[in-house]
Amino acid sequence: NTRISSMASKVLVVGSGVIGLRTALELLRKNVRVCLISPKTPTNVSTTSMGAGGLWMPFHCDDTRVDGWALSTLDELTTQHASSDRNVEVVPKVSFKRQLMEPPTWSKSSFLQFQQLDVDSLYKYASQNNMRLPRRETIGNAGYTHAWLFHPPIVDAPNALDAMLQEIKMHKHANFIDVETNKYFKTMNEIVTEARALGCDGVVNCTGLGSRALCLDEALVGARGVLLHYDRYNPSLWREASKDDTHLKDSAVTIEEKPYGSETTPCYMIPRGDKLVVGGTYLVGDEEECVRESEREMLLRNAQTLGIDTANNDPVGEWVGFRPYRSSVRLEIDNDLTQSGMRVVHNYGFGGSGWTVYVGAAKEAASLITRT
């Protein structure tokens, strides 16, 4: 098709979550002119990227391409951490297991220092390295015998989103930026029309769950998550807080097996910025926009299990979000729309792994839209 033989020279990116922002940045860094539009700002409380825990760890994203995208993201995050980027922190991450499990394929990265330990060895390591963990008897009495231990980056999602948006706005090739349009497109054809009006010859669709309606994509579903937020730097937050444990380092902890967790109700805690994020749920197709009382009680139990003194410390916030889950991520050229003379790339459906794959996904989307 001769009409699309040349690379897109000006691209409309739709969506300003972590996928949309990093895609726009990747294009700008390739000296491609960019327009960016979204109905709500990246840091609006309702956006999934803003409320996410920001933990690097492939989670509920089954596409075979995930490891490549994730490792590309890990490379960038480790570089940012090494340059003292305040929005990226590396912390110990522990996943408790009821038996010895085969390590995941992504665990081979040397940066992660991945280990599989029995619980006694883990608590010995924690003592030697000043790690804060749930009480040993809480874990042992529940039948957890092993754990994965590794050291991933965690992104302070709200501040990182804002930093990316500011970088985009300041870039010389940013032509039009409006992330508060309050306008929701009904079809991809409407987006193509908007792109033409802006003088664009390419579109990258990064609308996340919005693509279910835009693209009539019934394979895309929302996976609802609920969280409580605690003040991370409250000195009286922990049940056994004392003057002797002020030196302890926060850890991220997840449990996805009974009795404390399950695949749909994982028990976890992630230190993110000035908050401790306690979850959670992974409920596909659940559209409730508020935290149910039964869920709030579950989250409080999780917080207590993980060591928080819930009797004397109230959460400072709560959040509900909908992860855009698709069994196979849609990161591809839309041949039907592209044949109309506009190159269109879709970039959505990353489930609970948005902050884990966003750099690799952005690089691939940028490559597709600029390919000659």
Side-chain angles (χ1 to χ4, degrees):
N1 188 334
T2 57
R3 291 175 295 176
I4 59 165
S5 60
S6 60
M7 62 177 279
S9 60
K10 185 177 180 181
V11 176
L12 171 62
V13 177
V14 185
S16 65
V18 62
I19 300 297
L21 291 178
R22 187 58 184 80
T23 299
L25 271 179
E26 188 64 25
L27 288 164
L28 290 169
R29 292 170 183 175
K30 287 176 170 283
N31 295 315
V32 177
R33 292 175 294 160
V34 168
C35 299
L36 174 68
I37 58 176
S38 178
K40 295 180 180 179
T41 64
T43 53
N44 185 286
V45 69
S46 68
T47 61
T48 303
S49 293
M50 200 287 295
L55 170 70
W56 185 97
M57 185 182 75
F59 179 72
H60 286 281
C61 190
D62 305 322
D63 197 294
T64 57
R65 298 169 288 177
V66 163
D67 279 8
W69 297 330
L71 293 174
S72 178
T73 304
L74 181 63
D75 285 344
E76 181 163 296
L77 289 175
T78 54
T79 299
Q80 289 177 329
H81 179 257
S83 65
S84 302
D85 186 327
R86 289 183 295 178
N87 293 327
V88 181
E89 180 179 5
V90 174
V91 301
K93 163 68 172 65
V94 173
S95 296
F96 286 106
K97 308 291 182 183
R98 296 185 67 84
Q99 60 186 351
L100 201 64
M101 302 283 286
E102 182 178 352
T105 53
W106 49 259
S107 65
K108 296 175 183 178
S109 168
S110 59
F111 179 86
L112 296 173
Q113 303 173 56
F114 186 96
Q115 301 177 67
Q116 184 158 215
L117 303 171
D118 61 69
V119 165
D120 288 336
S121 298
L122 170 69
Y123 277 84
K124 181 179 179 180
Y125 178 95
S127 177
Q128 293 170 344
N129 291 275
N130 299 320
M131 283 172 53
R132 190 189 302 277
L133 288 177
R135 294 172 60 182
R136 172 67 180 81
E137 54 267 35
T138 299
I139 296 301
N141 292 346
Y144 301 105
T145 59
H146 289 80
W148 290 349
L149 169 66
F150 57 105
H151 297 77
I154 295 175
V155 181
D156 185 356
N159 287 327
L161 290 167
D162 187 62
M164 281 192 280
L165 179 60
Q166 298 312 313
E167 183 178 346
I168 290 168
K169 287 180 175 179
M170 294 174 64
H171 200 284
K172 64 181 180 180
H173 292 308
N175 280 198
F176 178 82
I177 310 298
D178 187 351
V179 293
E180 293 184 273
T181 65
N182 291 313
K183 175 184 177 181
Y184 291 88
F185 293 103
K186 295 180 180 178
T187 67
M188 284 301 303
N189 285 327
E190 286 186 7
I191 290 178
V192 169
T193 299
E194 181 80 7
R196 287 203 175 97
L198 290 167
C200 297
D201 52 5
V203 170
V204 185
N205 168 29
C206 303
T207 58
L209 194 56
S211 292
R212 180 175 171 85
L214 272 176
C215 303
L216 302 178
D217 188 348
E218 295 185 359
L220 180 66
V221 293
R224 180 173 169 273
V226 296
L227 302 172
L228 294 181
H229 292 166
Y230 285 88
D231 178 0
R232 181 179 177 184
Y233 299 119
N234 176 0
S236 63
L237 185 63
W238 303 101
R239 278 194 294 166
E240 298 179 6
S242 69
K243 293 180 180 179
D244 296 331
D245 72 0
T246 55
H247 65 291
L248 293 180
K249 303 170 188 174
D250 290 331
S251 304
V253 177
T254 60
I255 308 174
E256 292 186 75
E257 299 177 59
K258 293 182 177 181
Y260 295 140
S262 71
E263 187 172 330
T264 56
T265 56
C267 171
Y268 63 88
M269 177 169 62
I270 301 170
R272 189 204 72 184
D274 61 356
K275 302 290 191 299
L276 278 172
V277 176
V278 175
T281 61
Y282 197 93
L283 301 174
V284 174
D286 187 338
E287 298 181 354
E288 174 58 51
E289 295 183 355
C290 298
V291 179
R292 300 181 177 96
E293 186 57 36
S294 60
E295 293 171 333
R296 190 175 291 109
E297 293 172 358
M298 175 195 70
L299 292 172
L300 289 170
R301 286 196 301 272
N302 289 353
Q304 185 176 39
T305 296
L306 297 171
I308 292 176
D309 182 1
T310 56
N312 296 299
N313 293 278
D314 292 328
V316 296
E318 59 185 39
W319 181 83
V320 176
F322 300 88
R323 309 171 183 93
Y325 175 73
R326 202 173 187 272
S327 59
S328 177
V329 170
R330 194 172 187 197
L331 179 39
E332 63 186 11
I333 294 175
D334 187 322
N335 290 318
D336 292 335
L337 288 172
T338 295
Q339 288 173 2
S340 69
M342 176 77 63
R343 182 171 295 195
V344 176
V345 169
H346 296 288
N347 190 10
Y348 66 82
F350 297 96
S353 293
W355 280 104
T356 300
V357 303
Y358 72 104
V359 174
K363 289 179 180 292
E364 183 162 334
S367 176
L368 289 173
I369 201 74
T370 59
R371 180 183 298 169
T372 56

